[in-house]
Amino acid sequence: MFLEQFPGEGRQHGWIEVICGSMFSGKTEELLRRIKRAEFANQKVLLVKPKIDNRYSDNNVVSHQGSALASKLIENSSEIISLWSNEKIVAIDEAQFFDSGIVSVCNQLAAKGVRVIIAGLDMDYQGTPFGPIPDLLAIAEYVTKVHAICLSCGNLAQFSHRTASETGQVLVGAVEKYQPLCRSCYNKISH
Ligand code: ZN
């Protein structure tokens, strides 16, 4: 369930929103929905994502459902400040892959009056809080946790179970490498 309007929308000061959840929970779809709605109101948006994630398209943020928007690929969170040219909104996709400096970057932007919208995985495939997301949740004014549907039982899912055999926290992929599971079904599989 999403707030149609955030209490701060329309005001002059900045704030931070985080959309988090497992894979296939619609995080990027929700990020793109908020961006498109703002662009419809002629608000300028800077959309960035980490260079590590080059699936589907190099210069666009594309959801699993296929909708796309032009984005800038960056390697370090500090690049966001140098790229920013007074856009009213800064949107960050796949934020779990950024360095811890992103927390300070988001605070700086919000202090300048920017609406910062962040989307990212809250847990890695082992169920561990992912990268800077826990800290971003702590500093955000608004947090939306979205859920996938458990492929095993149909309940709401918050875990991204890796079906591929590779280990390591970062393994970019989609349906061929991950499936969403609820806590109970996830716990039945030994990790
Ligand atoms: Zn389940």
Side-chain angles (χ1 to χ4, degrees), residues 2-185:
F2 304 119
L3 292 170
E4 265 314 301
Q5 186 171 31
F6 289 95
E9 262 178 349
R11 285 197 226 142
Q12 291 308 303
H13 64 75
W15 70 91
I16 299 168
E17 301 163 26
V18 179
I19 304 156
C20 67
S22 69
M23 297 193 59
F24 316 109
S25 61
K27 296 182 300 297
T28 299
E29 280 294 311
E30 175 59 15
L31 179 72
L32 295 178
R33 186 186 76 84
R34 294 183 193 183
I35 293 170
K36 286 172 182 170
R37 191 179 54 171
E39 285 185 331
F40 192 72
N42 298 315
Q43 296 179 347
K44 293 273 183 291
V45 178
L46 169 63
L47 173 58
V48 300
K49 65 174 183 173
K51 228 166 203 164
I52 194 164
D53 185 28
N54 57 3
R55 64 186 164 184
Y56 305 119
S57 161
D58 275 336
N59 296 310
N60 294 312
V61 167
V62 183
S63 70
H64 293 294
Q65 277 74 30
S67 45
L69 279 175
S71 71
K72 297 219 160 54
L73 284 174
I74 57 173
E75 283 182 58
N76 299 302
S77 62
S78 58
E79 292 172 61
I80 298 173
I81 298 287
S82 36
L83 279 172
W84 179 67
S85 54
N86 277 306
E87 287 91 348
K88 193 174 173 60
I89 295 172
V90 173
I92 304 165
D93 196 24
E94 303 286 358
Q96 74 277 2
F97 292 135
F98 277 111
D99 53 280
S100 60
I102 192 138
V103 175
S104 161
V105 166
C106 291
N107 275 330
Q108 287 175 58
L109 288 167
K112 290 175 193 290
V114 175
R115 174 184 178 190
V116 183
I117 314 175
I118 300 158
L121 282 168
D122 46 12
M123 290 187 280
D124 67 13
Y125 77 107
Q126 293 181 302
T128 305
F130 209 142
I133 298 294
D135 289 347
L136 291 168
L137 290 171
I139 61 163
E141 274 88 343
Y142 309 106
V143 173
T144 305
K145 182 148 179 165
V146 287
H147 299 85
I149 302 292
C150 177
L151 272 187
S152 184
C153 75
N155 284 319
L156 287 183
Q158 82 262 41
F159 291 94
S160 306
H161 171 57
R162 185 181 289 176
T163 53
S165 56
E166 292 99 323
T167 54
Q169 192 180 39
V170 178
L171 174 67
V172 174
V175 279
E176 78 286 0
K177 287 175 181 164
Y178 295 94
Q179 45 179 238
L181 294 177
C182 71
R183 184 182 299 277
S184 161
C185 293

